[in-house]
Amino acid sequence: MTMDIAPPLPKRHRIKFPPADAHRLAQDEVFFHLVEDGEPVKLRFHDYAEIYKRPGLYEQLFYDRLKCSSPKKVGELLQRALQTACEPFTELRVLDLGAGNGIMGEELKSRGVARLVGADLIPEAREAAHRDRPEVYDDYYVEDFTQLSSETRERLGEWHFDCLTCVAALGFGDIPPRAFFNAMKMIRTDGWLAFNIKSSFLDASDQAGFSRFIRELIFSEYLDVYHLELYRHRLSMEGTQLFYYALVGRMTSSIPDDFLVRHLIEG
Ligand SMILES: C[S@@+](CC[C@H](N)C(=O)[O-])C[C@H]1O[C@@H](n2cnc3c(N)ncnc32)[C@H](O)[C@@H]1O
């Protein structure tokens, strides 16, 4: 006789939001309190290391409470783009930049990619991914992609990536344009890009480096856009809807090394 044993329920955290976002904090400065042993601990949304150290906190905060939908949306659009191109999703070899504790990785894995490698700036992200989703990544690099050593480039090159994903990790003090550009250079010249970005990036008035770089890329001969969809990324702490674009495109040829510098400086 076999018995089904239910997996243990993840620990629930006691999260308290402050009365109001009185100071209209930037998205990376927003904070909340976590009650631990009866004491409130103040954490910013971008205190990733502290958040990842606590199993289930990232999921409870961003996915349960603030209803983040981005990994699913970007995963869906990537799969649809591959269908349009009549290419098998199951052969994709993906580099997931800003992988965190592996939620995007889990999405890609469930859709059946061939290889999946995570990368993040902080060791706590890799530790959390290995702890919470040990079956997801074939490898996981803790690296600063703004300054990759030639040895790391060589090791990354061995994976022969044909897809770069980057979800909920661009802008707002997260991944800088240089890191994203260097990751793009690790992808095959006809490879796929799938990421999300805040909705204002298409406004010419948004002069943030990343927005300018992505605008230039979209209108360049180096990328064919398959999908550009406005959707609700998540809720803010006040319950307002934060809209982002999900973008899936395919690179068409090798992008010149000076593309980033030219467009960041010339705007
Ligand atoms: C909001 S989390 C997103 C995690 C995951 N992609 C998801 O969708 O749940 C942003 C991640 O970007 C990482 N990050 C920030 N700056 C980075 C950089 N320069 N290089 C690589 N990762 C970075 C952070 O450490 C964090 O794990």
Side-chain angles (χ1 to χ4, degrees):
M1 190 175 80
T2 57
M3 276 173 57
D4 287 337
I5 299 171
L9 289 172
K11 175 182 170 184
R12 299 300 288 174
H13 297 273
R14 196 161 154 228
I15 293 170
K16 287 183 17 169
F17 285 173
D21 178 11
H23 306 292
R24 296 195 169 274
L25 298 171
Q27 207 164 308
D28 54 347
E29 292 168 346
V30 175
F31 66 88
F32 64 100
H33 288 104
L34 182 67
V35 182
E36 284 181 325
D37 302 325
E39 293 296 322
V41 180
K42 184 174 170 178
L43 292 176
R44 289 178 318 136
F45 275 15
H46 278 216
D47 287 335
Y48 295 123
E50 288 305 314
I51 292 176
Y52 292 146
K53 279 186 206 162
R54 297 160 166 90
L57 178 57
Y58 183 82
E59 288 82 346
Q60 191 180 328
L61 182 62
F62 292 107
Y63 288 86
D64 296 350
R65 184 132 184 202
L66 299 178
K67 312 287 176 221
C68 180
S69 63
S70 291
K72 189 163 184 290
K73 173 59 69 183
V74 176
E76 241 168 51
L77 292 185
L78 179 61
Q79 191 159 26
R80 222 187 298 158
L82 269 285
Q83 275 161 9
T84 303
C86 298
E87 290 188 11
F89 197 85
T90 52
E91 288 180 14
L92 277 185
R93 307 175 69 88
V94 185
L95 173 61
D96 184 25
L97 181 66
N101 63 356
I103 297 183
M104 182 59 186
E106 190 169 57
E107 181 70 34
L108 293 164
K109 195 75 178 204
S110 73
R111 291 172 189 272
V113 295
R115 293 289 186 286
L116 182 56
V117 172
D120 204 287
L121 188 61
I122 58 172
E124 290 83 355
R126 178 169 61 188
E127 283 154 26
H130 286 168
R131 178 194 64 212
D132 302 338
R133 296 177 178 79
E135 75 291 1
V136 163
Y137 292 107
D138 295 297
D139 206 346
Y140 197 118
Y141 290 74
V142 174
E143 289 289 339
D144 179 354
F145 270 64
T146 59
Q147 36 196 2
L148 288 176
S149 66
S150 50
E151 192 202 337
T152 306
R153 278 175 209 270
E154 214 169 285
R155 278 168 50 221
L156 286 168
E158 288 168 9
W159 291 98
H160 301 286
F161 296 120
D162 55 11
C163 179
L164 172 66
T165 58
C166 189
V167 171
L170 299 174
F172 296 112
D174 278 340
I175 295 177
R178 167 58 67 190
F180 186 77
F181 187 72
N182 287 346
M184 275 175 63
K185 299 289 286 180
M186 299 309 311
I187 307 301
R188 241 173 51 182
T189 51
D190 62 347
W192 296 90
L193 294 184
F195 58 92
N196 66 342
I197 185 166
K198 63 180 171 165
S199 60
S200 66
F201 94 100
L202 276 180
D203 302 346
S205 60
D206 182 346
Q207 284 296 307
F210 206 88
S211 298
R212 275 157 56 193
F213 165 61
I214 296 297
R215 285 200 295 270
E216 293 297 337
L217 185 63
I218 288 178
F219 293 109
S220 75
E221 70 264 43
Y222 303 110
L223 188 76
D224 282 342
V225 175
Y226 278 61
H227 294 285
L228 180 62
E229 184 175 321
L230 189 66
Y231 72 101
R232 193 183 82 184
H233 161 55
R234 67 169 171 82
L235 300 176
S236 76
M237 209 161 59
E238 303 309 310
T240 55
Q241 309 191 77
L242 299 178
F243 287 94
Y244 271 46
Y245 278 103
L247 194 153
V248 176
R250 185 171 209 177
M251 291 192 281
T252 53
S253 55
S254 178
I255 189 162
D257 286 338
D258 66 351
F259 183 91
L260 178 72
V261 176
R262 256 193 293 137
H263 294 296
L264 283 184
I265 290 172
E266 292 166 8

